[in-house]
């Protein structure tokens, strides 16, 4: 039988009524407390940013990646961030469902990566389930965009500012709007 952490990461519904939920919430709160500490660190002190991100992620943030605090993150262990990424300030990562960020990814300020959703049944609305977000290499996500649970942003794609991504984005494509729609293919 899976424990609540395994159920959560596998995308199964988890509820505050089941055994282990308090341990999950405790781990989330610990992550959020570390993120609060991160928000007090100077953007110029990337050494300290990387130390705290290592604590949040449970693994090393690549030295070649720059992250500008604050970062609002609920759970970092299922989050993987690649090499040479640049993540602007005031982003929100709901990482419980898993987030994979490739190499050379630019993430603008106030971007939301949301992997968690609630049960549609109003009698069970406090239950949640996750869906992994994948952002492939060389993607650019514009300011104040939101990527919803389970979506994949393909290689080299651009998500325009203020967009809400509700469907997978094909490689080398520019999308924008709410919901995000294809604007054009990138031709090199």
């Amino acid at each position: 039988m899976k424990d609540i952490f395994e159920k959560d990461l596998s995308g199964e519904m988890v509820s505050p009524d089941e055994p282990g939920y308090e341990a999950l919430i405790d781990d989330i709160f610990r992550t959020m407390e570390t993120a609060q500490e991160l928000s007090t660190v100077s953007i110029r002190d990337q050494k300290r940013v990387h130390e705290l991100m290592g604590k949040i992620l449970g693994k090393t943030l690549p030295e070649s990646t720059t992250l500008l605090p604050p970062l609002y993150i609920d759970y970092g262990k299922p989050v993987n961030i690649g090499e040479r990424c640049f993540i602007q300030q005031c982003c929100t990562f709901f990482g419980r469902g898993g987030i994979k960020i490739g190499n050379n990814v630019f993430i603008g300020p106030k971007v939301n990566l949301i992997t968690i959703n609630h049960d549609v049944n109003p009698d069970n609305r406090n239950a949640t389930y996750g869906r992994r977000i994948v952002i492939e290499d060389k993607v650019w996500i514009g300011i104040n965009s939101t990527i919803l649970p389970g979506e994949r942003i393909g290689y080299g794609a651009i998500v325009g500012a203020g967009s809400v991504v509700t469907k997978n984005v094909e490689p080398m494509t520019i999308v924008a709007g709410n919901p995000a729609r294809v604007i054009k293919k990138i031709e090199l």
Side-chain angles (χ1 to χ4, degrees):
M1 180 178 215
K2 293 180 184 174
D3 70 17
I4 197 158
F5 292 93
E6 293 167 320
K7 280 183 67 178
D8 197 41
L9 191 55
S10 71
E12 293 178 46
M13 194 81 68
V14 297
S15 167
D17 301 329
E18 58 187 288
Y21 192 81
E22 286 186 26
L24 176 64
I25 294 302
D26 187 56
D27 219 7
I28 289 167
F29 284 179
R30 252 194 315 278
T31 300
M32 294 171 80
E33 287 169 342
T34 304
Q36 284 179 324
E37 184 179 350
L38 175 65
S39 71
T40 67
V41 174
S42 168
I43 60 174
R44 294 180 185 271
D45 189 357
Q46 284 296 302
K47 182 179 181 209
R48 183 68 179 139
V49 167
H50 279 72
E51 287 171 4
L52 290 171
M53 283 302 295
K55 188 175 175 183
I56 288 170
L57 300 173
K59 56 194 154 290
T60 304
L61 178 69
E63 280 188 45
S64 62
T65 288
T66 300
L67 185 138
L68 305 181
L71 172 69
Y72 306 102
I73 185 167
D74 70 337
Y75 201 55
K77 291 174 185 166
V79 176
N80 293 289
I81 301 172
E83 298 280 346
R84 297 171 304 283
C85 295
F86 195 92
I87 302 170
Q88 287 276 359
Q89 68 274 9
C90 299
C91 291
T92 299
F93 292 4
F94 280 15
R96 284 177 44 202
I99 297 172
K100 182 182 184 300
I101 299 172
N103 299 319
N104 300 296
V105 171
F106 294 149
I107 298 179
K110 300 181 182 179
V111 165
N112 304 298
L113 304 179
I114 309 302
T115 65
I116 294 297
N117 210 339
H118 291 269
D119 192 344
V120 295
N121 178 349
D123 294 331
N124 196 37
R125 190 73 38 92
N126 61 353
T128 57
Y129 62 93
R131 297 290 182 265
R132 187 173 190 227
I133 291 174
V134 176
I135 301 170
E136 295 181 6
D137 295 347
K138 299 186 178 181
V139 166
W140 173 16
I141 302 175
I143 188 172
N144 204 33
S145 292
T146 298
I147 313 301
L148 293 179
E151 303 310 329
R152 175 181 290 268
I153 312 299
Y155 173 90
I158 298 171
V159 176
S163 297
V164 178
V165 175
T166 62
K167 295 180 184 172
N168 290 343
V169 176
E170 294 295 317
M172 300 298 285
T173 303
I174 300 172
V175 299
N178 181 4
R181 292 178 180 86
V182 174
I183 302 299
K184 69 178 184 176
K185 293 293 279 180
I186 299 170
E187 306 286 338
L188 299 179

